[in-house]
Amino acid sequence: MLTRYASWLLIGLPFAIITGPALPDTIVSLLAIYFLFLSRKPTMWHYYQLPLVKVILLFWAYCIVRSLVSTNPIVSLEASLFYGRFIFFSLAVAFLLNQRKQIFVLFSWSLLACLVIVTLDAYLQYTTGENIFGWKKDEYRVSGFFGDEFVLGSFLSRLMPLVFFILASIPRLQSWMMFLGLFFLMAVDILIYLAGERVAFFYLTLGTLLIIILI
């Protein structure tokens, strides 16, 4: 039962990100607690034996020690101590994907649907001056569903490589599906430029170069 609830939390995560930081942070924390609850069983300890996990856990311990000896330990621990939730969240995602392949398929559709909706809404705001909620665009920048927070480019640039990975993971991908996928990625690239975020455009360039090298 817990695994089913955790699966739906993961599947709904892309849409939760649009609402702001509170809901996705809650989902990340709940999934981290879920994995900690599961890892009390010895059969789950092999996840902690992975070399990359050991390195990240060691880095987390190092950050906590540095916070304890800092000039203001309380303030410093607020950042370093809760950093660990991302480690256990990642392990929870790995566990869920290993349990049922259907979760990966549902998460992929959720992510693709989220990005398509966000992209279409942003283009609507760019062309008409306002999105479906009536939020008007800035004179030079597009924000879409994010309203007064200009993080549209950051949102798209970080998820674009994941979408490419999902498309590349589909076995025997038909040519028309690949064409639509590449067309959508180009539309997202243009939208990131229109969002006017320099850091997001840097991430876009870096991600595109890595994809070209890796393929």
Side-chain angles (χ1 to χ4, degrees):
M1 185 64 70
L2 282 177
T3 300
R4 181 182 301 177
Y5 291 145
S7 301
W8 284 113
L9 286 176
L10 177 62
I11 294 168
L13 183 58
F15 286 95
I17 297 175
I18 305 176
T19 65
L23 188 55
D25 277 350
T26 301
I27 292 177
V28 169
S29 300
L30 288 175
L31 289 177
I33 294 172
Y34 162 75
F35 185 82
L36 284 173
F37 176 76
L38 290 180
S39 62
R40 75 188 192 283
K41 302 177 182 178
T43 55
M44 296 290 294
W45 292 352
H46 66 277
Y47 282 94
Y48 296 112
Q49 301 302 318
L50 298 172
L52 181 59
V53 175
K54 289 182 179 180
V55 171
I56 297 176
L57 288 173
L58 185 61
F59 175 74
W60 181 37
Y62 168 76
C63 292
I64 293 176
V65 172
R66 287 295 302 270
S67 297
L68 291 173
V69 298
S70 64
T71 55
N72 198 333
I74 301 299
V75 175
S76 184
L77 281 172
E78 289 179 359
S80 61
L81 187 61
F82 294 101
Y83 168 79
R85 73 184 189 276
F86 297 107
I87 304 173
F88 301 113
F89 163 74
S90 302
L91 294 175
V93 172
F95 171 76
L96 291 173
L97 295 181
N98 288 333
Q99 288 294 108
R100 295 172 56 192
K101 293 183 179 179
Q102 189 67 16
I103 296 176
F104 176 76
V105 176
L106 293 175
F107 175 80
S108 300
W109 280 113
S110 175
L111 177 62
L112 290 173
C114 177
L115 287 182
V116 168
I117 293 172
V118 170
T119 301
L120 293 177
D121 179 77
Y123 272 110
L124 176 67
Q125 188 185 57
Y126 178 74
T127 54
T128 66
E130 58 183 35
N131 72 340
I132 59 175
F133 294 118
W135 299 338
K136 300 185 181 298
K137 71 171 183 177
D138 186 75
E139 185 177 359
Y140 302 105
R141 305 173 66 180
V142 179
S143 61
F145 279 117
F146 298 97
D148 296 333
E149 298 183 8
F150 295 99
V151 295
L152 175 65
S154 177
F155 175 80
L156 294 174
S157 64
R158 285 166 169 80
L159 294 183
M160 185 270 291
L162 185 55
V163 173
F164 190 92
F165 166 74
I166 290 173
L167 291 175
S169 300
I170 300 176
R172 297 183 297 276
L173 184 65
Q174 298 182 15
S175 57
W176 66 269
M177 294 179 63
M178 178 58 74
F179 174 78
L180 287 179
L182 293 176
F183 177 79
F184 172 71
L185 290 177
M186 287 189 292
V188 170
D189 292 351
I190 296 172
L191 192 57
I192 292 173
Y193 174 77
L194 296 176
E197 299 173 47
R198 297 177 182 177
V199 176
F201 192 74
F202 169 76
Y203 286 148
L204 167 65
T205 305
L206 180 62
T208 304
L209 288 175
L210 289 174
I211 288 173
I212 293 173
I213 293 172
L214 292 174
I215 63 176

